Amino acid sequence: MTLPYDRKSQLEAFDRLLTIMDELREKCPWDKKQTIESLRHLTIEETFELSDAILDNDLDEIKNELGDILLHIVFYARIGSEKKAFDMASVINQLNEKLIRRHPHIYGETQAEDEETVKQNWEKIKLQEKGNESVLGGVPRSLPALIKAMRIQEKARGVGFDWEEKHQVWAKVEEEMAEFKEVFDAEGDTHPDKEKATAEFGDLLFSLINYARFIDINPEEALEKTNRKFIHRFQYLENAARNSGKTLSEMSLAEMDVFWEEAKKH
């Protein structure tokens, strides 16, 4: 079913949400107690729940989680208005102006015929706006390391610092793998220098993320899909062992491998 694009009904729904938020803030004991700080961890949780729904391609759940995040945005804006710092209108107006400013190829005279040029313009304008001395200054410190590595690389690319050909990136992966193997002898008995091995492993991961980005694979999504696949197969293995009257700790690796191969077919 295709929903009709009805601006009037959308504005009415948003106005109703603002009214409900006002009523909850004034009358509900829980909502009255909340602060920007107390909502923070809940917002993070809701964002991860939206991420799960997207990975599951569950459109109904995506709709539900988008509603929860919208509630948080409205909640923050209500608290901001109480502090006389900002309100929903100022939040939206600031966003509108930023979107216009960062799309000069739509609202100005700049030419941008492809996605890459748009990204480069965006990063340059963002750098000017924020007054950062470094193009990497806008990367949040608390981002998970894998996502942070991807964003660092994307921002560097936005100002032209990137590889030209994918074979160059793969050569870097192989170079980092060789350097890691040099400090971590997988076949030998000697213990590696953990600090050096950690550093080289980090370099290897960074280069793999770079290659994934270069060939248009999102490494975070790829790893999460593998996580989910492993969980599904491992839980199949657990159930199969239970049905055979054993626990995993009572089984040999060879026995477990039989069920693991079965799991790949389900």
Side-chain angles (χ1 to χ4, degrees), residues 14-169:
F14 191 64
D15 180 69
R16 185 182 179 209
L17 172 60
L18 293 175
T19 299
I20 292 172
M21 183 72 256
D22 288 342
E23 292 171 345
L24 294 177
R25 186 65 173 170
E26 292 165 7
K27 300 176 182 179
C28 173
W30 186 88
D31 289 280
K32 288 166 67 174
K33 285 183 60 178
Q34 301 313 305
T35 65
I36 287 177
E37 292 76 17
S38 71
L39 289 173
R40 175 181 171 274
H41 75 281
L42 297 175
T43 306
I44 293 171
E45 181 180 338
E46 295 295 352
T47 304
F48 278 109
E49 289 179 358
L50 172 61
S51 176
D52 284 345
I54 291 172
L55 287 172
D56 291 338
N57 196 28
D58 186 336
L59 295 181
D60 283 338
E61 192 59 24
I62 290 172
K63 178 179 70 173
N64 182 53
E65 297 302 340
L66 284 174
D68 290 343
I69 289 177
L70 179 57
L71 169 61
H72 280 239
I73 293 170
V74 170
F75 210 149
Y76 286 121
R78 167 65 199 225
I79 296 173
S81 69
E82 294 168 5
K83 296 177 177 291
K84 295 182 171 50
F86 56 84
D87 61 9
M88 199 71 248
S90 63
V91 168
I92 294 174
N93 284 330
Q94 182 170 298
L95 172 61
N96 290 341
E97 294 304 319
K98 179 166 66 177
L99 289 173
I100 291 171
R101 213 167 43 245
R102 294 190 185 178
H103 289 81
H105 54 292
I106 303 297
Y107 301 102
E109 303 300 323
T110 301
Q111 297 295 315
E113 301 298 332
D114 55 59
E115 178 188 3
E116 191 58 40
T117 305
V118 172
K119 287 182 178 179
Q120 290 179 1
N121 287 340
W122 180 283
E123 291 298 341
K124 290 175 184 176
I125 295 169
K126 187 175 180 179
L127 190 61
Q128 293 169 356
E129 289 175 352
K130 291 183 173 292
N132 291 329
E133 294 183 1
S134 169
V135 71
L136 304 181
V139 179
R141 294 188 304 275
S142 58
L143 271 181
L146 194 151
I147 299 174
K148 184 188 289 187
M150 187 168 59
R151 292 297 293 135
I152 287 170
Q153 293 167 8
E154 288 173 345
K155 285 184 174 293
R157 180 178 178 82
V159 292
F161 186 78
D162 201 6
W163 302 93
E164 294 179 350
E165 303 291 341
K166 69 177 182 180
H167 70 83
Q168 297 172 312
V169 193

